Amino acid sequence: MALRMLRSATEALYVRRLTRALDGGPRPRHVAILLDADGRGDRGTGQTGTGHTAAGSRAGGAKIRDVLRWCDAAGIRHVTVWVLPDDTSAHRTPDRSGPLSGVVEETVACMCTADEDWRIEVAGPLDRLPEETVRTLEEAVARTASRTGLSVGVAVGRSGRSEIVDTVRAAFRQHVSAGGDPRDLAEDFDLPDLSGHLRFPAPAGDADFVIRTSAEQRLSGFLLRQPASGEVHFVEVLWPDFRRTDLLRALRSYAARDRGHDA
């Protein structure tokens, strides 16, 4: 007990030190967080195998609310979390997708409680999710629509590659339905046409800082278009073990980077 109290007090002092170090420095406006994938978050539960499990995802879901509070306190205005990647929602068997969808519902529900001023926005192909999960997501968006606090983007069942394909299709459908010639759009298609149809919370804009946990140094198809000129930070801890000090260290790294080369 005494050792635990000492560690807690030491971490609190370190948090205050890191917070002071960030005062007045640059910080990202929009942070996107890529949580653990393919079961790494389940190690502490004794469960093995590939793919998210309900136990590991529930532990990760409980952490999300803490991290959102830390981001809010740090002055971050927009946070996007990848709750359920495309490969785990589109190709999962029904007996395993059900429990995970339930975890998504629990996680989103805890984000929109009355004691927080967070506004929930959802991005992703909801048609691939169970009806109850879709209803929970839509209710969360409606319930928090008038809030003015932290904007929380919930990325569900999405991958960057499929999103780009869907975006191009949407642009052409809109152009043709308005009486346009698809050959004209093909000739003039440019980045504004792509950005204008991305299924991404519009108020948040492009992510300027991506945090990836679990020591994996890859984006795994997460937000391939939006953070094209953003910064990426890799954290060598599993998502359920992510601490406030890890977030503040990431923000310190962001503040220390030289962006003089940026256009």
Side-chain angles (χ1 to χ4, degrees):
M1 177 67 73
L3 181 58
R4 187 182 307 163
M5 292 178 61
L6 177 60
R7 287 176 176 171
S8 179
T10 301
E11 183 168 357
L13 287 172
Y14 190 37
V15 165
R16 287 197 290 270
R17 177 183 173 186
L18 287 171
T19 301
R20 286 196 300 269
L22 291 171
D23 284 346
R27 67 190 62 202
R29 180 173 179 270
H30 178 188
V31 174
I33 304 177
L34 176 53
L35 284 58
D36 297 338
D38 55 38
R40 278 179 292 275
D42 297 335
R43 288 174 180 168
T45 69
Q47 301 191 34
T48 59
T50 59
H52 286 272
T53 66
S57 295
R58 184 167 284 108
K63 175 64 64 175
I64 289 177
R65 189 171 179 181
D66 288 337
V67 175
L68 292 178
R69 284 174 172 163
W70 301 336
C71 287
D72 206 355
I76 307 302
R77 298 306 304 150
H78 307 280
V79 178
T80 293
V81 290
W82 201 9
V83 176
L84 192 60
D86 182 66
D87 58 350
T88 59
S89 60
H91 307 295
R92 184 168 298 280
T93 57
D95 62 318
R96 299 191 68 189
S97 62
L100 288 178
S101 296
V103 172
V104 172
E105 295 165 21
E106 294 171 13
T107 301
V108 173
C110 82
M111 289 182 189
C112 57
T113 54
D115 56 336
E116 304 293 353
D117 191 36
W118 302 334
R119 185 175 71 260
I120 309 299
E121 297 162 323
V122 177
L126 300 186
D127 58 314
R128 301 178 184 177
L129 301 174
E131 291 183 7
E132 184 61 31
T133 304
V134 174
R135 184 161 44 250
T136 299
L137 293 171
E138 291 176 341
E139 289 174 354
V141 171
R143 182 178 174 183
T144 64
S146 62
R147 296 183 179 180
T148 58
L150 180 70
S151 169
V152 182
V154 180
V156 183
R158 65 186 288 129
S159 73
R161 287 176 293 187
S162 63
E163 182 188 35
I164 290 174
V165 171
D166 291 345
T167 296
V168 173
R169 287 174 177 166
F172 272 87
R173 287 194 189 106
Q174 184 182 65
H175 182 77
V176 172
S177 65
D181 188 331
R183 291 172 295 184
D184 294 336
L185 182 59
E187 183 70 25
D188 300 328
F189 196 85
D190 208 342
L191 284 178
D193 298 294
L194 182 65
S195 300
H197 291 83
L198 285 171
R199 287 195 306 259
F200 193 82
D206 289 350
D208 46 3
F209 194 42
V210 178
I211 298 176
R212 171 73 194 256
T213 60
S214 79
E216 292 292 334
Q217 298 193 13
R218 53 195 174 93
L219 291 179
S220 299
F222 178 52
L223 299 184
L224 295 183
R225 162 66 184 90
Q226 290 87 351
S229 57
E231 308 278 351
V232 182
H233 182 83
F234 301 102
V235 183
E236 294 187 4
V237 297
L238 299 178
W239 172 248
D241 301 324
F242 191 80
R243 302 170 301 167
R244 188 173 186 178
T245 53
D246 295 313
L247 174 66
L248 293 174
R249 285 170 178 164
L251 296 178
R252 181 179 63 183
S253 172
Y254 177 90
R257 298 182 187 186
D258 180 11
R259 296 176 187 80
H261 62 279
D262 291 348

